[in-house]
């Protein structure tokens, strides 16, 4: 992999042949990354400003992409190799995540148009050690996700302010996984036939499957 400890720059363009690993305390304004060989692409931004992601391509077979920043704007495609996973997560585990139409301060704010730019087997939003909430406060339609599985991970997961899929169609033609370290409030989810909903709340773990509306 291409290991880089700390970078402080307004714009970073990087190409590697064996993975890209940026350190934990970078201060980046924007990034464009391409990996043409094996390995993952991991980009971490500790700066206060939003990280603008103008494009990430990981051509590695099974190579994942991890983007970590307390706020980010995705303006170009983010592609994980051969059905692998793209992770969008805050740098700070306590930072909440809002999937919303606009942008709210103090959170990792993502909108459906940004999610649609991610091409992967699984789109994971959040981090396993989170103490913040992942909230969906707008409609995430089936066309807003280009991954086979949408996975939301946080301390609490709250869907009631928005919806995943439309109750009048089109229904959400992707698998959905909701993983909360504490509680999961899984309302307003409308899946297409043969798509599964998995819910795991660590405070009282259970798994359920929903194959049709």
């Amino acid at each position: 992999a291409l290991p880089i400890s700390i970078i402080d720059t307004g714009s970073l363009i990087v190409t590697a042949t064996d993975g890209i690993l940026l350190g934990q305390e970078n201060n980046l304004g924007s990034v464009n990354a391409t990996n043409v060989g094996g390995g993952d692409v991991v980009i971490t931004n500790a700066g206060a400003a939003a990280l603008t992601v103008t494009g990430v391509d990981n051509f590695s077979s099974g190579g994942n992409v991890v983007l970590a920043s307390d706020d980010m704007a995705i303006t170009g495609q983010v592609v994980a190799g051969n059905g692998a996973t793209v992770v969008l997560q805050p740098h700070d585990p306590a930072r909440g995540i809002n999937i919303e139409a606009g942008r709210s301060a103090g959170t990792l704010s993502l909108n459906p148009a940004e999610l649609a730019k991610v091409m992967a087997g699984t789109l994971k939003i959040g981090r396993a050690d989170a103490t913040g909430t992942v909230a969906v406060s707008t409609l995430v339609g089936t066309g807003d996700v280009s991954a086979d599985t949408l996975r939301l991970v946080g301390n609490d997961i709250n869907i009631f302010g928005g919806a995943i899929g439309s109750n009048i169609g089109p229904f959400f033609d992707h698998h959905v996984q909701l993983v909360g370290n504490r509680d999961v409030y899984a309302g307003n989810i409308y899946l297409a036939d043969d798509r599964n909903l998995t819910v795991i709340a660590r405070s009282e773990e259970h798994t359920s499957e929903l194959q049709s509306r």
Side-chain angles (χ1 to χ4, degrees):
L2 173 63
I4 303 174
S5 55
I6 296 177
I7 298 176
D8 188 345
T9 184
S11 177
L12 175 67
I13 300 174
V14 58
T15 300
T17 60
D18 191 25
I20 299 171
L21 176 60
L22 273 68
Q24 295 296 309
E25 301 303 324
N26 301 294
N27 184 14
L28 304 174
S30 68
V31 66
N32 188 290
T34 303
N35 179 46
V36 297
D40 296 336
V41 175
V42 180
I43 299 169
T44 301
N45 178 50
L51 173 67
T52 299
V53 181
T54 61
V56 177
D57 287 301
N58 190 356
F59 294 103
S60 168
S61 178
N64 301 312
V65 175
V66 180
L67 302 175
S69 179
D70 283 344
D71 203 358
M72 69 177 75
I74 301 173
T75 62
Q77 283 194 339
V78 178
V79 181
N82 195 26
T85 298
V86 169
V87 181
L88 307 178
Q89 66 181 38
H91 176 259
D92 181 358
R95 184 87 159 181
I97 301 173
N98 284 349
I99 300 173
E100 53 192 346
R103 290 206 177 269
S104 55
T107 67
L108 171 52
S109 179
L110 299 165
N111 62 54
E114 291 175 310
L115 304 187
K117 292 182 172 68
V118 176
M119 312 293 177
T122 297
L123 170 55
K124 175 185 172 184
I125 301 174
R127 49 189 299 163
D129 60 349
T131 57
T133 296
V134 178
V136 178
S137 59
T138 191
L139 171 64
V140 179
T142 190
D144 296 322
V145 173
S146 301
D148 189 57
T149 299
L150 173 64
R151 180 184 301 152
L152 305 182
V153 181
N155 194 45
D156 294 318
I157 310 294
N158 191 335
I159 311 296
F160 283 112
I164 297 177
S166 170
N167 63 341
I168 60 173
F171 303 127
F172 198 72
D173 197 12
H174 314 269
H175 301 301
V176 176
Q177 299 173 351
L178 308 176
V179 182
N181 292 330
R182 191 171 62 177
D183 295 315
V184 175
Y185 305 96
N188 305 325
I189 300 174
Y190 306 95
L191 299 186
D193 290 346
D194 300 319
R195 292 298 187 173
N196 297 331
L197 170 64
T198 301
V199 179
I200 300 175
R202 303 295 187 190
S203 59
E204 184 178 350
E205 185 168 320
H206 64 282
T207 302
S208 61
E209 291 189 355
L210 176 64
Q211 293 185 316
S212 63
R213 177 172 173 263

